[in-house]
Amino acid sequence: MQVKIFDLEFCLIENLENLKIKNLETTALILSSGGKERGYVQLLSDLFEISFKDELLFFVDNYPSLEDIENLYGELSNRKINSIFAIGGGSVIDSAKSISLLLSLEIVDDVLQIINFPENLLFKNNQKIQLIAFPTTAGTGSEATQFATIWDKKKNKKYSLDHQSLLPDYVYFLPQLLHTPEFDTQLFPALDCFSHSLESIWNKNRTKKSINYSKLSLENSFLGDLETFHNFKD
């Protein structure tokens, strides 16, 4: 298995021209209902002078299930979407990754079949659905992996859709989205990031490069300043 690793360069996003959007008129925005209430749509509109159509807003409020993904795909499949914005945490980004893959395929009959046999995927000619991710939590890693977690609620089973095309085309970290005074929203992503770093070191597919990234992640985690983190809630 080959896994692509992001080599990211950080730059200041000053205006809409910095965002590599194919066509704003055919761009869907996937987020949670809570994200809309927290002003995520308005934030993008204010920062980049983007006006999203209400009919192109789609909401993910749970861990994505097979049924959720099938329903979301059904809603988007006839809208001639060629770009997706995902703004949220792991569930939102995993859902957007799955949908961007499904919309890029020639045939979608059975999502579970696609999960089990991703090597047999047939893509439309020259039509890769562009995916742009705006993470709102630091730690899930969804924005930087080729995996998407999908649940089968009836069987209480978790699947992992694995394909290189699931990697977002662009990832933007906005301080306004990542900064929050809520302790839980800081704690759980911090623990998530910590566990992912350890799991990467233990992974049988690890490389020297991935190990170096994991060590760097651990060095810059909350372990470096436990006292401040411990007192954060106060």
Side-chain angles (χ1 to χ4, degrees):
M1 179 179 67
Q2 293 186 353
V3 179
K4 180 180 178 183
I5 297 178
F6 276 146
D7 286 311
L8 295 178
E9 265 185 40
F10 290 91
C11 61
L12 182 65
I13 309 174
E14 296 178 342
N15 52 54
L16 181 60
E17 293 180 358
N18 294 123
L19 297 177
K20 312 294 185 179
I21 305 173
K22 286 183 177 180
N23 185 347
L24 190 56
E25 292 297 313
T26 53
T27 296
L29 175 59
I30 297 179
L31 71 165
S32 67
S33 300
K36 185 178 181 182
E37 293 175 1
R38 287 188 287 273
Y40 293 168
V41 180
Q42 189 62 49
L43 175 64
L44 290 183
S45 299
D46 293 344
L47 283 177
F48 309 119
E49 298 180 357
I50 296 175
S51 180
F52 287 99
K53 299 177 181 178
D54 287 340
E55 62 267 27
L56 292 180
L57 298 183
F58 300 90
F59 300 101
V60 172
D61 293 317
N62 302 293
Y63 292 126
S65 68
L66 290 171
E67 184 178 1
D68 294 333
I69 295 300
E70 290 169 353
N71 290 339
L72 190 55
Y73 170 75
E75 291 189 61
L76 278 94
S77 58
N78 295 319
R79 296 179 181 266
K80 297 182 179 179
I81 299 298
N82 63 17
S83 295
I84 294 176
F85 275 23
I87 177 169
S91 294
V92 168
I93 295 177
D94 274 8
S95 298
K97 288 160 68 174
S98 302
I99 294 302
S100 70
L101 172 65
L102 296 178
L103 291 176
S104 301
L105 298 178
E106 290 183 357
I107 301 173
V108 178
D109 290 328
D110 186 341
V111 174
L112 186 56
Q113 186 78 358
I114 291 172
I115 293 172
N116 289 330
F117 302 99
E119 65 276 7
N120 296 333
L121 295 181
L122 297 175
F123 290 87
K124 298 175 183 176
N125 293 332
N126 302 318
Q127 187 170 343
K128 165 67 171 71
I129 302 300
Q130 183 188 55
L131 177 59
I132 298 175
F134 293 86
T136 58
T137 59
T140 70
S142 179
E143 74 278 357
T145 67
Q146 65 182 50
F147 315 105
T149 298
I150 302 176
W151 290 83
D152 185 334
K153 294 181 179 178
K154 294 179 180 178
K155 297 181 179 179
N156 195 28
K157 187 173 182 179
K158 181 173 72 173
Y159 296 100
S160 182
L161 177 58
D162 175 8
H163 196 273
Q164 194 165 8
S165 65
L166 288 174
L167 278 168
D169 296 283
Y170 301 97
V171 179
Y172 297 104
F173 296 93
L174 301 180
Q176 298 95 322
L177 298 176
L178 294 169
H179 177 72
T180 172
E182 297 179 11
F183 178 71
D184 287 352
T185 310
Q186 294 281 1
L187 174 62
F188 296 127
L191 294 174
D192 210 5
C193 184
F194 176 73
S195 64
H196 281 311
S197 301
L198 290 178
E199 289 169 1
S200 180
I201 292 175
W202 298 329
N203 193 297
K204 65 180 181 181
N205 295 311
R206 65 186 179 272
T207 65
K208 289 183 179 179
K209 192 171 187 178
S210 68
I211 291 174
N212 287 335
Y213 278 127
S214 297
K215 289 180 177 178
L216 185 63
S217 174
L218 290 171
E219 290 169 1
N220 288 277
S221 71
F222 63 91
L223 291 178
D225 194 358
L226 281 174
E227 184 175 354
T228 298
F229 196 85
H230 179 73
N231 295 326
F232 181 83
K233 192 171 184 178
D234 301 330

